[in-house]
Amino acid sequence: MAAVLVEGLSKRYGSTVGVDDVSFEVAQGEVFALLGPNGAGKTTAIEILEGFRSRDRGRVEVLGFDPADRGTLRLLRERMGVVLQELAVEPFLTVREVLARNAGYYPSPKDPDEVLTRVGLVEKARARVKTLSGGQQRRLDLGLGIVGNPELLFLDEPTTGFDPSARRDAWELVRHLTEGGVTVILTTHYMDEAEALADRVAVISQGRIVAQGTPDHLGGRDVGEARIRFRLPEGVDPGMLPVPTAASGGDGLEIRTDHEIGVLRRLTTWSEEEGVPLVGLTVERLTLEDVYLRLTGYRSGEGTPGGDGPSGGHGTGQREGRSGR
Amino acid sequence: MTDTAGRASATGDRRPKALGSGADLRADLRMVGRQLGYEQLAFWRNPIGAVFTVGFSVVFLVLLASSAGHSRSAAIGNLEVVQYYVPGFTAYGVMSACFNLLAITLIIRRETGLLKRLRLSPLPTTAMVAAIFLNAMVISAVQVVLLLAIGRLGYGVHLPSDPGPLVVVLVVGALSFAALGVGVSTFIPNQEAAGPVISIVFFVLLFLSGLWYPLAPGSTLARISAWFPMRHMITATFASFDLRPGVSPWAWRDLGVIAIWGAGGAVVALRRFRWAPVRG
């Protein structure tokens, strides 16, 4: 049985589209990511599933309940956990008090002390929440998400604003906390987060799901175009190479092709015959980021000032040319 | 594992529950009591909340009563002004807990995501709201008891022989100012502004309303402040002490104005209230 079922879900705010004809299914025990840029409709979708927001159209079932049904909402909420973008924890209660208080809202909660151990806050049990560091507060926040012993956990951009090591810690914690069959629905605008945590990803853009699949298969990244890169050998003009190349920052060269075996054979044959080494030769499929940028309609010159991702620093010109594929 | 065992047993006896549905009423009341306990804990641990609410009313009553308490004022029928300050600060205690503190707390909780998080927990909304209101009332009651005790023991103030009118004023005032507090909280979009904006408005209105000294009836200040509920809360509380022969302890007109403001606040609150951060 699916833990979550969404069919033809639509929600508008006046003339603005929140989500438009969104459908997906999440199996029990699966970690499912809604990946998309800010304003794409991730939070709208997740808030409808949580029963926080109403929908205009479509069918939604969460753990067998319709979250729009006020009569059963409390039953649903007894079986789900939520971690929000905000670090929402009472500042003047102690860590253990907050966990014990929230545990009392649920019919069969986890033992607060067990949760303390799992989120690594045993030493902080008697500390006031306001004295915790940001990372510790997030750990507590995650602990509050699971203290009700949920079957389904919503994580709404759980690491937005974290530095890279804090994000890695948080991922580790999420993996650890969701061992044992908890279904997770997470929203994120980080490609690597979806790749690190999710069994399945749906890319959402302007309210619509534009691709769904496992992180490895998403958008056909396991077939189709590959990228071959190497450094321009000294004393060689790019025109002398057996295949056309594009510049890729400094003395780097890049080839994008659907037939990487053939291209590689020609390159390596040439290299051996000419006695010219191909320094820094790499072959890679599209990164999830490439797929994501293509799917969400990224155009060079707008949006984030690239350079923070593996492919962000170069080749944006080709990206625009390829966006029609 | 304890997890699976716990879950299985819980699934077995799951049945629809809504606040107030017969057999579950007692469990829900217990939940309100429990939530109120945590509200109290959080309040008394917050030095700013405790000092500015409870400490403020006590300290100012003592300062004013000690410095000028035994002078007499024509505005209150030539009584010693301490007889006015005790009801005045009793009214202040209720207003500060139910209006000022409640509004600021709600804004901070909304903007930090606490309200949304609680809304998404199984804690029934009615239980959460009841605990927040009851918390303000408990804080009010603590202040009322403290202020009356200080007034009686420290300054020999006459307490009302019939507590009825005083209780009615305090309850009507607490409910109305709580509704106003929720209503006002919907107009302040961020937590940094919450404390300063609400406190400034609150204290300016208190100043106009004669908290610091009795206003002569018909004076400009009295006429301006008559438009706002703070003035009526102070005069109704003062009347309920029944110190002036021939003046009824039941200040129905004042109570009416307070209740109208409260009803207005409730309408605004119901129409505009939101759980999620405004900037979200």
Side-chain angles (χ1 to χ4, degrees):
Chain A
M1 195 195 94
V4 173
L5 182 70
V6 176
E7 265 178 25
L9 175 64
S10 296
K11 170 80 182 176
R12 300 179 76 89
Y13 305 103
S15 60
T16 317
V17 174
V19 289
D20 183 13
D21 197 20
V22 161
S23 300
F24 59 84
E25 228 183 289
V26 184
Q28 253 171 25
E30 194 174 29
V31 178
F32 181 81
L34 277 172
L35 173 65
N38 290 329
K42 304 185 297 286
T43 299
T44 298
I46 208 171
E47 285 182 347
I48 291 170
L49 298 188
E50 291 164 348
F52 190 73
R53 207 172 273 288
S54 66
R55 61 183 188 261
D56 296 339
R57 266 199 316 282
R59 180 168 158 231
V60 177
E61 260 182 40
V62 181
L63 302 176
F65 297 102
D66 179 348
D69 180 352
R70 298 261 147 216
T72 55
L73 195 52
R74 186 164 165 192
L75 286 178
L76 169 59
R77 286 182 174 160
E78 285 174 351
R79 294 165 63 184
M80 70 184 216
V82 173
V83 176
L84 302 170
Q85 292 173 35
E86 296 84 13
L87 289 168
V89 197
E90 275 81 355
F92 292 100
L93 298 179
T94 70
V95 170
R96 193 173 185 295
E97 282 164 355
V98 175
L99 280 169
R101 186 196 69 178
N102 282 33
Y105 300 157
Y106 299 85
S108 55
K110 286 181 189 294
D111 177 2
D113 291 313
E114 186 208 321
V115 176
L116 277 175
T117 313
R118 288 183 75 172
V119 297
L121 286 174
V122 174
E123 288 93 79
K124 291 283 173 184
R126 287 164 190 282
R128 306 258 169 108
V129 170
K130 71 185 173 80
T131 66
L132 300 183
S133 70
Q136 289 168 336
Q137 285 194 19
R138 180 50 100 187
R139 299 174 85 79
L140 174 57
D141 215 23
L142 284 165
L144 289 172
I146 60 155
V147 75
N149 201 13
E151 291 159 58
L152 172 64
L153 180 61
F154 291 102
L155 300 173
D156 196 2
E157 303 198 8
T159 66
T160 295
F162 280 30
D163 65 49
S165 75
R167 289 177 65 212
R168 258 155 231 288
D169 288 349
W171 293 348
E172 203 49 56
L173 190 60
V174 168
R175 286 197 205 101
H176 177 56
L177 294 182
T178 55
E179 279 166 7
V182 180
T183 309
V184 178
I185 296 190
L186 111 116
T187 68
T188 182
H189 54 249
Y190 297 119
M191 285 65 59
D192 52 348
E193 185 156 292
E195 196 159 27
L197 293 176
D199 301 318
R200 236 152 33 81
V201 178
V203 178
I204 186 165
S205 174
Q206 294 170 3
R208 302 187 70 99
I209 289 188
V210 291
Q212 270 194 73
T214 64
D216 290 344
H217 293 68
L218 195 72
R221 61 187 284 225
D222 54 339
V223 293
E225 192 173 77
R227 180 164 50 205
I228 300 166
R229 277 191 277 188
F230 55 94
R231 287 216 284 281
L232 181 64
E234 232 169 89
V236 175
D237 184 86
M240 293 158 66
L241 295 168
V243 286
T245 60
S248 168
D251 59 350
L253 293 176
E254 172 177 303
I255 301 159
R256 291 181 179 232
T257 172
D258 289 345
H259 309 286
E260 71 274 19
I261 304 293
V263 172
L264 277 174
R265 195 178 56 232
R266 287 169 69 188
L267 267 180
T268 49
T269 309
W270 174 85
S271 159
E272 273 181 16
E273 284 172 356
E274 302 292 320
V276 180
L278 293 172
V279 180
L281 177 68
T282 61
V283 184
E284 62 184 21
R285 293 280 158 204
L286 293 180
T287 64
L288 190 55
E289 185 179 15
D290 291 326
V291 174
Y292 169 77
L293 291 173
R294 198 171 68 194
L295 288 169
T296 55
Y298 178 88
R299 296 286 182 276
S300 61
E302 68 180 54
T304 53
D308 50 352
S311 71
H314 61 267
T316 46
Q318 286 102 317
R319 188 172 289 130
E320 182 165 21
R322 295 186 295 117
S323 63
R325 278 183 181 227
Chain B
M1 289 293 289
T2 50
D3 290 4
T4 17
R7 184 174 294 158
S9 73
T11 325
D13 62 17
R14 246 170 209 148
R15 64 216 128 87
K17 277 191 273 181
L19 190 66
S21 67
D24 289 324
L25 181 61
R26 207 177 310 161
D28 286 327
L29 287 179
R30 241 196 333 266
M31 205 167 234
V32 173
R34 198 170 164 277
Q35 185 70 10
L36 174 61
Y38 283 108
E39 293 280 350
Q40 279 285 302
L41 198 56
F43 171 77
W44 293 105
R45 285 225 191 112
N46 178 352
I48 299 194
V51 167
F52 273 85
T53 312
V54 179
F56 193 95
S57 58
V58 169
V59 167
F60 271 87
L61 174 65
V62 170
L63 285 179
L64 285 169
S66 303
S67 59
H70 295 295
S71 58
R72 289 174 185 277
S73 164
I76 51 171
N78 243 11
L79 291 166
E80 289 187 354
V81 285
V82 70
Q83 306 278 1
Y84 174 83
Y85 283 137
V86 170
F89 278 91
T90 303
Y92 165 84
V94 172
M95 292 188 282
S96 67
C98 294
F99 175 77
N100 201 26
L101 180 74
L102 185 76
I104 293 170
T105 308
L106 274 182
I107 293 165
I108 292 175
R109 287 191 186 173
R110 183 189 67 216
E111 294 305 314
T112 54
L114 279 167
L115 277 187
K116 184 177 174 187
R117 172 155 219 159
L118 269 191
R119 173 80 162 166
L120 290 172
S121 82
L123 178 69
T125 305
T126 32
M128 179 198 343
V129 173
I132 290 175
F133 275 35
L134 286 171
N135 183 51
M137 288 181 192
V138 170
I139 297 162
S140 303
V142 168
Q143 294 184 84
V144 170
V145 169
L146 271 177
L147 294 167
L148 293 185
I150 291 169
R152 182 80 197 91
L153 303 175
Y155 304 96
V157 168
H158 296 285
L159 302 186
S161 48
D162 172 12
L166 176 61
V167 171
V168 169
V169 173
L170 296 182
V171 170
V172 170
L175 291 172
S176 301
F177 278 95
L180 270 176
V182 181
V184 164
S185 77
T186 65
F187 291 99
I188 316 266
N190 72 73
Q191 71 206 75
E192 287 77 22
V197 171
I198 289 181
S199 296
I200 286 169
V201 172
F202 182 57
F203 280 101
V204 166
L205 285 173
L206 285 174
F207 179 83
L208 296 177
S209 302
L211 177 66
W212 309 110
Y213 52 89
L215 296 182
S219 65
T220 312
L221 271 188
R223 273 186 283 130
I224 294 172
S225 59
W227 289 97
F228 299 98
M230 284 76 175
R231 169 74 178 153
H232 297 280
M233 185 68 193
I234 293 170
T235 51
T237 312
F238 177 60
S240 75
F241 275 60
D242 198 15
L243 298 164
R244 287 174 295 175
V247 180
S248 168
W250 295 98
W252 294 117
R253 205 178 148 272
D254 291 321
L255 281 173
V257 176
I258 295 167
I260 289 170
W261 272 95
V267 169
V268 170
L270 290 172
R271 290 178 71 100
R272 292 179 48 91
F273 188 79
R274 46 183 298 170
W275 299 92
V278 169
R279 50 171 172 73

